[in-house]
């Protein structure tokens, strides 16, 4: 176990400050990808509640709102635990950002209607080739976004990038209890899915905007 010198409380506060600053930097980078009047869609929760500070994908939405670039956010409710409806919607409400919660299955219709200009999500793990693991439902969004020619941006800290994992095929997927889906019938409940790199328009870290080929653009990302 690594031991830190000095006051543990001060060290914890330092880690928190560093995390908030890291999120603010990636949020600023991500905001440069959005045009004025952007209608965004996000999935799960990648805000301050998840990061202990400013947020990654939600932080990017906050930065875009502060810069006058963001018009509205569609928030996937995020089945089955509703992190979007319970957490992200509350964070956007607190920030005064216009938003609407939608059923996950409504995303395709909203895209077809022209109500989505960009999709922003966080990530739990990013492989060296840019394949991205995130909350279940992200892969579906990526396929829909590609069909409608809408960019999907992944906003995540460099610590999420795992250069030792060649592709998403090597990322294990957690299966949670089926009772979270239904208490009456047998159920499958994968908690995450993997979005192939070719469906990701850009990966944004605190170091900047990374584009394909990700095996090259992510190679210089320092993982700490």
């Amino acid at each position: 176990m690594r031991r830190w010198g000095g006051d543990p409380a001060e060290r914890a506060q330092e880690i928190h400050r560093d995390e908030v600053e890291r999120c603010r930097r990636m949020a600023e980078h991500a905001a440069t990808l959005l045009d004025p009047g952007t209608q965004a869609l996000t999935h799960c929760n990648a805000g301050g509640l998840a990061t202990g500070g400013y947020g990654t994908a939600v932080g990017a939405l906050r930065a875009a709102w502060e810069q006058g670039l963001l018009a509205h956010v569609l928030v996937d409710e995020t089945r089955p635990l509703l992190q979007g409806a319970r957490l992200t919607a509350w964070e956007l409400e607190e920030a005064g950002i216009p938003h609407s919660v939608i059923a996950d299955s409504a995303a395709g219709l909203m895209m077809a209607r022209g109500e989505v200009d960009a999709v922003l999500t966080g990530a739990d793990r990013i492989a060296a080739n840019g394949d991205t693991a995130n909350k279940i439902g992200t892969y579906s969004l990526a396929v829909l976004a590609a069909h409608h020619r809408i960019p999907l941006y992944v906003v995540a800290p460099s610590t999420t990038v795992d250069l030792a994992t060649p592709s998403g095929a090597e990322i294990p997927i957690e299966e949670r209890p089926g009772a979270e889906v239904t208490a009456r019938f047998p159920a499958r409940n994968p908690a995450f899915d993997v979005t192939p790199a070719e469906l990701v328009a850009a990966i944004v870290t605190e170091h900047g905007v990374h584009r394909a080929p990700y095996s090259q653009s992510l190679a210089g990302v320092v993982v700490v």
Side-chain angles (χ1 to χ4, degrees), residues 41 74 76 102 106-119 140-152:
L41 186 150
L74 291 174
D76 274 353
I102 62 171
L109 175 63
M110 297 301 182
M111 292 180 185
R113 286 179 170 177
E115 296 188 34
V116 180
D117 300 308
V119 178
S140 301
L141 275 182
V143 173
L144 287 168
H147 176 75
H148 292 93
R149 299 185 179 180
I150 296 169
L152 181 143

Side-chain angles (χ1 to χ4, degrees), residues 125 127 129 131 164-173:
R125 190 171 176 185
N129 72 338
D131 290 351
T165 299
S167 73
E170 288 77 39
I171 298 177
I173 299 299

Side-chain angles (χ1 to χ4, degrees), residues 64-177:
W65 173 250
E66 292 163 2
Q67 295 175 31
L69 300 172
L70 186 65
H72 189 265
V73 182
L74 291 174
V75 183
D76 274 353
E77 58 182 348
T78 317
R79 290 284 176 175
L81 296 182
L82 306 179
Q83 294 97 327
R86 294 187 299 111
L87 305 178
T88 299
W90 179 83
E91 290 194 41
L92 294 175
E93 180 181 64
E94 289 293 297
I97 298 174
H99 63 281
S100 302
V101 176
I102 62 171
D104 294 3
S105 53
L109 175 63
M110 297 301 182
M111 292 180 185
R113 286 179 170 177
E115 296 188 34
V116 180
D117 300 308
V119 178
L120 288 86
T121 73
D124 289 271
R125 190 171 176 185
I126 300 173
N129 72 338
D131 290 351
T132 302
N134 195 50
K135 184 56 60 182
I136 189 71
T138 305
Y139 177 35
S140 301
L141 275 182
V143 173
L144 287 168
H147 176 75
H148 292 93
R149 299 185 179 180
I150 296 169
L152 181 143
Y153 301 122
V154 173
V155 187
S158 59
T159 50
T160 308
V161 178
D162 182 2
L163 297 179
T165 299
S167 73
E170 288 77 39
I171 298 177
I173 299 299
E174 175 190 5
E175 289 238 7
R176 294 182 58 81

Side-chain angles (χ1 to χ4, degrees), residues 4-5 7-20:
W4 301 100
D7 182 10
E10 290 182 1
R11 176 56 184 162
Q13 291 170 355
E14 178 185 358
I15 292 172
H16 181 256
R17 287 192 299 270
D18 289 345
E19 172 65 12
V20 172

Side-chain angles (χ1 to χ4, degrees), residues 198-212:
E198 58 265 27
L199 299 180
V200 179
I203 295 173
V204 184
T205 71
E206 70 273 23
H207 298 296
V209 176
H210 312 274
R211 294 191 183 272

Side-chain angles (χ1 to χ4, degrees), residues 39-65:
Q39 300 178 100
L41 186 150
T42 192
H43 189 68
C44 197
N45 178 255
L49 293 172
T51 65
Y54 190 75
T56 56
V58 174
L61 296 172
R62 290 177 61 177
W65 173 250

